[in-house]
Every structure is written in structure tokens, then in C-alpha cells.
Amino acid sequence: MAIKEKITDYFEKYTQSLNGEKNSYLFSLREKSIKIFHELGIPTLKNEEWKYTKLNFLNNIDFEISNSAPHSFPENFKISDYYIENFEGDVLVFINGFFEKKYSRIINTEENLVVTNLNEAKEKYSNILENYLTKYTDESNNPFTALNTALANDGAVIILPKNFEKELPIHLLFINIPLQSNLITNSRNLIIVDSNSKAQFIETSYSWGDLASFHNTVSELYLKQNSEVEYYKFQNDSHSAYYIGSTQIHQEKDSRLFSTTISLAGKFIRNNLNSILDGENSEAHFNGLYFIGNEDFVDNHTLVDHAKPHCNSNENYKGIIDGKATAVFNGKIMVRPFAQKTNAYQSNKNILLSEDATINTKPQLEIFADDVKCSHGATSGYLDRDAIFYFRARGIDEKIAQSYLLNSFSSDIIETVKIDALRDLIKSEIAKKLSMNELYFCSILESNKI
Amino acid sequence: MSLLKIDNLKVNINGKEILKGLSLEVNPGEIHAIMGPNGSGKSTLAGVLAGKEDYEVVEGTIEFDGKNIFEMSPEDRAREGLFLAFQYPIEIPGVSNASFMKTAVNEIRKYRNLEPLDAMDFLRIMREKAKLVEMDQAFLNRSVNDGFSGGEKKRNEIFQLAMLEPKLAILDETDSGLDIDALKIVANGVNKVRNENNAFVVITHYQRLLNYIIPDFVHVLFDGKLVVSGGKELALELEEKGYDWIKKQYNGVLV
Ligand SMILES: Nc1ncnc2c1ncn2[C@@H]1O[C@H](COP(=O)(O)OP(=O)(O)OP(=O)(O)O)[C@@H](O)[C@H]1O
Ligand SMILES: [Mg+2]
């Protein structure tokens, strides 16, 4: 059965099991969304938004939709492998799409602070869900978001009260453990940061084993007035991992968003990162680094929607592509008619390490206001042979030369990660990719700062 | 035993003959100057010695310190004690001079089974050598050659030479683009580094440099060969008469 029919079929069965929830608002959303999904179907390469992004794995792999967490972990599975070492903050763990309290750690229990999961929140915070869920996610243009709404298993619900300035890093950790069949999970996160508050979020998704995992994730972030959010995605998954993640951000006046997306491995990754600058003086910083090899595929689609005047956006994505890997970057900047005095900057630079590596990069500017400062640029090329030779002529072998050059290329992005434990993890994983001794690599990074 | 022995070297670039049977022998303690018109193949020779790709060695042998140079990677040549001061030093943004040199020094030490220098020793030596070429300490923290003036880049090459203490250094037009003071400083640096165990091959267009770095031999590279060799007076003669007489004489022999 084709994936589309399989999913709609599943939805039928799923709704029968719901009973009581059927009268809820969430359920009406689900019904609406499954219809949209059914109408849109799986996008083909003819769809401009998916032009370079082959989705045939969805039909080639026989997926089942996750409906429960496994009763026990496989023998060689260690949950501790997935935690970020030395990370100090809350960790919310979801296995096969379902919240696992046992493996989670919620330290922050301040009054009015909500750190919970969707299935808990359904009853307790139903009116908040009603007010926020799907408010800005453009489902009619993205079947995977519609699919997510229809089938969302669970996810994080985080609500920061006003004036909450305490540093509060929260790690959302999604692990799929397909045991009997290839698995689809739909995780849905809702994050609301109220006025004058600050927060840091990390999202990571992992796939255990050789059976395929398809993570279809949607996160909605709401930044109220003068709030500040750091939002990190770190992607370092396996050869059996397929991932489509959409993050929809809504920003009010004076809010500041700092997003960094680091993609190091995964069979298929599509990131949609959209922010609506919907209040004056708000700013969005989108940073990204993809460093991939093998036959991996990473696609970053971003949209900065300047809806109000006097806002700033600053986007800097860099790519290193090795082996037979393919990367796609599509950065859209929309400046609406009244959004005068907009500053929008975008850059995408790429280094190809092999002749079989591919990059498709495209800026997409839609500017409807006239008093706007907007610049963009994209480059791609190979490492400078003359520079490598210069190192070698000084007794430094090619591998180290390459590490230096790639490190200097990517370090500005890595430094945008302000959570030490995460940044250390990223550096050590990059050292592994350069097949360098981690200590040696770090000594290079360090000595560079003398 | 000679330090460098080039015998009948023939090198093509993209199928075009550039070096056409060049021979040269350099012994420890010697300084050789190579002069010659633009495009005669001086940098090609330097590049072949350092192991730059994109040359096709058609014939001939090169022994460096008794070893076949063609069996060594560029980094191993450097580790064995060969140094090329580039005619056009490369800019490497984002990599500090200090870090670049620390890695170079320690990679070379590793090759020679020596312990790496610790940070303190390294800093001390680096400061010492920077002084030798009167290079401001600020350059050590800057990215390699990035935004350096032409003269600063050349001085940085000699600083690296002083750091790496090679057995054989090839200076490819290190004097070009240097003002008078800088020229003296660079020459002075070379003279301080030189001793009876190392040797220099100095490629230059101007006799002026050779007032400061006194060569034992001067060679003229023309049409892919060293066609004339002599003592330091040859440089003076060339300065006075240019290359025409060599061209005539040599072409005459050919025809
Ligand atoms: N990569 C290359 N491709 C094609 N021709 C080349 C290449 N490199 C050098 N050549 C040619 O080889 C010849 C010798 O060049 P080389 O740089 O060795 O000259 P040179 O003696 O160092 O000259 P100068 O005094 O101007 O520095 C020149 O004709 C040059 O154009
Ligand atoms: Mg030259």
C-alpha cells in the first residue's frame, strides 16, 4: 500500500481508539489536518519547495506508524549514549514519540513554569493548546505539518511565565527504537516564552538500529514581547534515519531569536525554519552548519517573514559536503509592504570535499517594501589547493591542513552555540568526522587563540 | 656528501617543456644564487623541489641529503629539512601564525622522534625568532599572511625559516617588494640562521640582495638550464649587461 493510503487508513483506526477525546478541540484539528494531508499527498520534485528533495524513501520503505513506546530496551541500547555530557538543565525524553518520565529530568519546578508533555497538557492546559496550536503553521502548504497535527503522538509543552530570566536550558531528546518494523513518529512541541523572559532549547533526534526511522517533527515557538530565545538543533543521526522537522516561530515586538542548526549526519534531513517578525524591533538570527558525507542528504529551507517595520534578520549558513552527499539550501526572505526599515542579511557558503558531492543553493527574495536594506550571497567551491600545499611545505600533512581550513571556515557558526556542553559535543563530533584525535583537534582550536 | 644533487632534470607543465636538463649540486655551508629572465623556470625549479603538484617530471634525478626526493611527500621533504620561501606566500584567514608554526614545529619534531615543544618553550622560541627578523609580536596572533603587506609576507617567510631551521632553504625572490631597510633585516636574518651545516639557494633578480647575502656561486637559468655559472662577480656583470649577451651566446650555440 502506498504511504498516503496507509496513513489515512491508520488514521481511521486511530480515531476509533480515541473515544473520549473525540469531542476535543485537538481532535477537530486532527480531522482537519488529515484531510489536508490527503489532499496534498507526498510532494514530488515538481513542487518548487521540494525541487531537490527526493521523498521516494516514503514509498520505498515499508513504514509502520508508532503507537507506543517499547516495553523494554534492546540489549545494546544505552540511553546514556544519547544524553549530552555535562549538560545542566532539563531533559525531556521521548521514545518512539512518547514521553518517558523515567528517563527525563525536570529540575526546574518554579511556580507558573510549565515543563511537560503534550499528552499531559491536553487536559490541564487545553485552552492554551487551543489558542496556540497550528496558529501560524501553514499546513495547506506543507503536508508533513498536516500529517504531524493529525497523528501527533506526544511532544514537549513548555510555557515560560513573564519575567523569567533564570537561565533555563531544556533539551528535547527524541529517540526512535524500531524493533519489529520501520517506524514513523510524529512529535509536536509547543513552546511559549512570555514577555521579558529568556530560554534556551536544544532539539536532538536519534534513531537506534538498522530498521528505518522517520521522525516527522513540528515545533511551534512563540516569543512574546522582549523575550529572548536560543534554539538549537543538533543532528548527528544514523544511516537509517529520516527526518523532516519544521519549526514555526512567531515573534512579537523587541523579541530576539538566536537559532543554530548543526547537521553532521543522517540519511535524510529536511529542516524548515520559519520565523514571522510580527512586532517592531524584533530580530531573528539563523545560523547553520551542515558537514555531511557518505550518501547523506541535508536540506535547509528557511523563511524570514518581515511583517512589521524596523526588524532585523541575519542568516548565516555554511556547508561542508564530502563523499556522495547532497545539501540543499533555500533561504527565503519576505518583506511585507509595510515592513519599512527592514534589515535583512543572508549568506550561504559551501565547501565541497569531493567531486561526487552536490550543493543546491538558492536565495529567494520577495520584497514588497521600498525602504529596505537587504543583501545575500552564496558561494561554493573546493578547498584551496595552494593553501593546502602551503601547510604541507611546512611539514603539516594534508589531513591536518584540511582540519585547519575547515575549522576556520566553520568556527564562527560553532561559536554561536552558547551552551558549553553542546558546543563541546559538536566540536568532538566534528573532530571525529575529520578522523582526528579529539584532543589534538581541540589543541589546534585552542592554540589558534594564543 | 652533497646536500642537494640535481641531475639532468627535465620538467613539463601541461605538456610544455619548462626545465630542459638542469643540473646543480649544493653542499652544506654553501649559498647559491639563481638568476635569470622572467619565465625561465626559477619558480618551477623551486616548486619541483618542494613537491608542488602539477609538474610532470620527465627525466632526471634529485637527491636531497642522499634520498630520492621524488619518493617523498611535500610534508616529508619539509620534515627532512627542506624549506621553500614562497615567491607569493599564501593567505590563510582564520589560522593564526602562532598556531600554524606550533603545528609545523611539532609535526617536524614528531617525524624526528622528538617530544613536542610545550607551550612555554614554544612561545619563548617564537618570540626569539620574531626578534631575529624584527617582526612585531602582533603578527604572531594574526592569521597567516592575511592582510599582510607584500613586504610583511616576505618577512614572515623568513620568520618561518628561522623557526623551522631547515638544512636547505630555497628563497624564491624573497627580496622582491622589500624596502631597503626590510631587505637588510631579511638578509640579516638569513645570515644569522646560516651555518656550516645548512645551505641556501637564493632566487633573485637583483644583485642588491647579494651584497648582504654573499653567494658562493651564481647561476643563470635560461631556457630551462643553468647555462652560466660563476662567483659573486657574475651577478655584478648581469646587473650591468643584462641577459642579452647570454641569450645571444646561448642561442648561437643552439643554432
Ligand atoms: N601552472 C602552470 N601552467 C602553465 N604554465 C605554467 C604554469 N606554471 C608555470 N608556467 C610557465 O612556466 C614558465 C616558467 O615559470 P616560472 O614561474 O618557473 O618562471 P620564473 O623563472 O620563476 O619567472 P619570474 O622571474 O617571473 O618569477 C613560464 O612560462 C610560466 O608561464
Ligand atoms: Mg618566479
Side-chain angles (χ1 to χ4, degrees):
Chain A
M1 202 181 340
I3 188 78
K4 189 174 130 184
E5 282 66 42
K6 200 172 195 172
I7 285 168
T8 22
D9 250 33
Y10 176 85
F11 188 77
E12 285 300 311
K13 279 193 226 120
Y14 173 66
T15 51
Q16 282 158 23
S17 72
L18 282 175
N19 305 324
E21 203 191 303
K22 275 196 174 167
N23 300 321
S24 71
Y25 173 76
L26 192 58
F27 185 70
S28 65
L29 275 186
R30 290 188 194 277
E31 279 200 306
K32 204 165 85 193
S33 297
I34 196 72
K35 278 199 195 95
I36 296 172
F37 173 75
H38 198 75
E39 274 161 33
L40 293 175
I42 307 293
T44 64
L45 299 184
K46 286 196 198 106
N47 183 326
E48 208 38 48
E49 285 289 297
W50 299 87
K51 195 169 164 186
Y52 301 105
T53 309
K54 289 195 198 94
L55 292 164
N56 40 12
F57 69 89
L58 282 171
N59 277 314
N60 294 345
I61 298 171
D62 191 18
F63 281 109
E64 297 294 332
I65 294 149
S66 171
N67 54 17
S68 63
H71 298 298
S72 61
F73 290 155
E75 235 172 58
N76 63 352
F77 176 91
K78 281 217 313 281
I79 184 105
S80 55
D81 291 346
Y82 299 90
Y83 295 134
I84 299 171
E85 209 180 320
N86 300 323
F87 174 75
E88 289 168 9
D90 290 358
V91 185
L92 275 67
V93 176
F94 298 83
I95 308 248
N96 290 0
F98 294 90
F99 183 58
E100 286 283 352
K101 199 165 197 165
K102 207 167 22 163
Y103 304 107
S104 300
R105 177 177 74 187
I106 298 177
I107 315 164
N108 291 285
T109 50
E110 277 82 353
E111 220 188 328
N112 298 328
L113 170 69
V114 178
V115 179
T116 184
N117 61 309
L118 188 61
N119 284 331
E120 275 291 311
K122 262 187 227 167
E123 278 158 38
K124 255 173 142 172
Y125 303 103
S126 62
N127 53 340
I128 293 182
L129 298 188
E130 233 172 274
N131 282 335
Y132 286 94
L133 276 181
T134 72
K135 198 163 164 195
Y136 294 101
T137 52
D138 185 9
E139 299 203 349
S140 57
N141 274 317
N142 191 337
F144 294 103
T145 305
L147 170 64
N148 181 284
T149 309
L151 292 180
N153 310 103
D154 205 349
V157 173
I158 297 162
I159 305 165
L160 264 74
K162 287 191 171 69
N163 307 317
F164 193 92
E165 283 231 33
K166 183 182 162 195
E167 285 234 319
L168 176 66
I170 300 179
H171 179 195
L172 312 183
L173 172 55
F174 301 89
I175 306 170
N176 279 6
I177 309 176
L179 289 177
Q180 271 92 41
S181 61
N182 305 302
L183 208 60
I184 301 182
T185 49
N186 293 283
S187 302
R188 183 58 162 255
N189 307 308
L190 174 65
I191 296 172
I192 302 166
V193 179
D194 213 336
S195 317
N196 308 319
S197 294
K198 275 188 183 176
Q200 298 171 310
F201 301 100
I202 304 171
E203 269 187 53
T204 57
S205 300
Y206 291 100
S207 308
W208 174 90
D210 291 324
L211 284 168
S213 271
F214 171 33
H215 296 260
N216 181 36
T217 304
V218 175
S219 299
E220 294 178 68
L221 265 76
Y222 292 86
L223 275 66
K224 301 289 181 185
Q225 277 192 28
N226 194 36
S227 61
E228 181 173 309
V229 168
E230 290 167 31
Y231 176 72
Y232 303 106
K233 265 193 187 183
F234 176 58
Q235 307 179 309
N236 194 23
D237 208 350
S238 76
H239 55 87
S240 56
Y242 300 82
Y243 176 91
I244 296 179
S246 298
T247 300
Q248 179 63 56
I249 304 161
H250 180 262
Q251 293 188 239
E252 288 186 4
K253 198 166 168 291
D254 298 321
S255 64
R256 301 169 299 281
L257 173 86
F258 298 88
S259 159
T260 303
T261 304
I262 309 266
S263 313
L264 301 184
K267 182 84 182 159
F268 176 100
I269 296 175
R270 162 70 173 241
N271 295 312
N272 297 313
L273 177 64
N274 304 341
S275 189
I276 306 172
L277 296 171
D278 204 9
E280 293 198 11
N281 270 319
S282 53
E283 51 184 271
H285 302 262
F286 286 7
N287 294 294
L289 172 68
Y290 38 96
F291 181 177
I292 52 170
N294 303 317
E295 293 182 10
D296 288 357
F297 174 88
V298 173
D299 172 358
N300 280 293
H301 263 64
T302 65
L303 166 61
V304 183
D305 184 349
H306 283 265
K308 291 279 154 61
H310 294 284
C311 294
N312 295 314
S313 65
N314 194 331
E315 179 163 15
N316 188 8
Y317 271 70
K318 289 188 173 179
I320 302 167
I321 309 144
D322 199 359
K324 293 182 180 166
T326 301
V328 177
F329 175 79
N330 188 101
K332 183 165 162 181
I333 298 173
M334 162 80 88
V335 182
R336 305 226 175 232
F338 298 107
Q340 302 295 5
K341 305 281 180 200
T342 286
N343 278 315
Y345 169 85
Q346 182 187 94
S347 157
N348 175 231
K349 294 190 176 137
N350 297 281
I351 291 178
L352 301 168
L353 293 182
S354 104
E355 296 200 351
D356 298 321
T358 309
I359 170 72
N360 291 300
T361 171
K362 189 175 129 200
Q364 206 183 335
L365 308 182
E366 295 184 11
I367 298 175
F368 300 102
D370 43 29
D371 190 4
V372 166
K373 273 200 202 120
C374 192
S375 72
H376 65 92
T379 60
S380 63
Y382 296 95
L383 273 181
D384 182 1
R385 294 305 308 166
D386 289 337
I388 301 245
F389 180 69
Y390 195 62
F391 278 92
R392 299 181 73 188
R394 298 296 177 253
I396 302 168
D397 70 34
E398 184 151 3
K399 194 162 248 165
I400 300 177
Q402 195 172 324
S403 304
Y404 262 113
L405 296 176
L406 295 180
N407 174 61
S408 91
F409 174 74
S410 54
S411 63
D412 61 334
I413 305 290
I414 297 168
E415 295 307 319
T416 64
V417 176
K418 302 295 178 208
I419 298 174
D420 294 345
L422 178 61
R423 200 177 51 253
D424 288 347
L425 173 64
I426 292 166
K427 283 182 182 173
S428 82
E429 289 302 315
I430 287 180
K432 271 189 216 156
K433 282 187 87 78
L434 294 168
S435 45
M436 270 185 105
N437 178 307
E438 194 182 319
L439 284 175
Y440 186 70
F441 182 70
C442 290
S443 83
I444 283 185
L445 301 185
E446 275 312 305
S447 66
N448 216 10
K449 288 188 205 143
I450 298 184
Chain B
M1 189 182 61
S2 58
L3 192 54
L4 180 71
K5 192 166 188 300
I6 304 175
D7 192 31
N8 192 32
L9 181 67
K10 294 187 183 170
V11 172
N12 290 2
I13 301 179
N14 297 333
K16 188 178 153 215
E17 290 181 292
I18 307 293
L19 300 181
K20 304 178 184 173
L22 183 147
S23 301
L24 174 70
E25 200 168 335
V26 178
N27 294 303
E30 292 177 352
I31 293 186
H32 291 245
I34 296 182
M35 304 182 80
N38 292 129
S40 57
K42 301 182 297 297
S43 294
T44 303
L45 173 63
V48 171
L49 287 170
K52 201 164 164 35
E53 295 153 0
D54 45 68
Y55 299 121
E56 189 194 335
V57 177
V58 184
E59 217 182 299
T61 56
I62 305 179
E63 274 182 18
F64 174 59
D65 213 10
K67 293 187 183 115
N68 178 357
I69 209 168
F70 297 126
E71 285 175 359
M72 284 187 265
S73 64
E75 54 272 28
D76 279 350
R77 298 178 196 194
R79 294 163 183 169
E80 287 284 345
L82 186 100
F83 182 91
L84 169 63
F86 284 59
Q87 181 172 3
Y88 304 108
I90 311 294
E91 298 191 4
I92 309 178
V95 178
S96 78
N97 237 348
S99 169
F100 184 59
M101 271 302 99
K102 189 170 180 209
T103 307
V105 166
N106 284 335
E107 285 297 300
I108 291 171
R109 289 179 68 90
K110 190 162 81 189
Y111 182 82
R112 297 176 186 167
N113 291 321
L114 298 169
E115 286 293 305
L117 285 182
D118 66 38
M120 292 310 289
D121 281 340
F122 175 76
L123 269 174
R124 182 178 47 75
I125 294 171
M126 189 167 68
R127 295 208 170 110
E128 226 167 74
K129 305 292 182 179
K131 250 189 216 130
L132 199 81
V133 291
E134 299 181 29
M135 190 164 88
D136 196 291
Q137 302 287 329
F139 282 93
L140 303 175
N141 297 322
R142 281 175 61 178
S143 294
V144 179
N145 295 326
D146 188 23
F148 287 25
S149 76
E152 287 162 355
K153 284 181 187 166
K154 296 302 179 74
R155 200 182 291 206
N156 197 26
E157 293 291 286
I158 303 304
F159 160 69
Q160 294 180 21
L161 187 158
M163 287 298 298
L164 303 184
E165 298 182 328
K167 289 182 203 145
L168 175 69
I170 302 143
L171 312 188
D172 191 357
E173 294 198 27
T174 302
D175 53 336
S176 300
L178 291 181
D179 65 42
I180 309 278
D181 292 339
L183 182 75
K184 283 186 203 161
I185 292 164
V186 161
N188 208 1
V190 169
N191 287 327
K192 280 183 192 153
V193 174
R194 94 175 268 205
N195 60 44
E196 68 278 11
N197 297 318
N198 60 22
F200 290 80
V201 173
V202 181
I203 296 170
T204 180
H205 284 296
Y206 308 105
Q207 190 271 333
R208 203 182 50 192
L209 174 71
L210 306 178
N211 287 335
Y212 303 106
I213 303 175
I214 317 258
D216 301 296
F217 303 94
V218 175
H219 312 274
V220 178
L221 176 53
F222 178 71
D223 195 31
K225 290 181 192 172
L226 298 181
V227 291
V228 184
S229 296
K232 61 176 190 269
E233 10 16 280
L234 178 58
L236 283 165
E237 194 178 347
L238 290 169
E239 180 91 355
E240 201 178 302
K241 298 205 257 175
Y243 291 111
D244 263 6
W245 62 281
I246 291 179
K247 286 183 190 167
K248 267 189 210 125
Q249 190 184 335
Y250 188 67
N251 285 338
V253 172
L254 251 190
V255 174

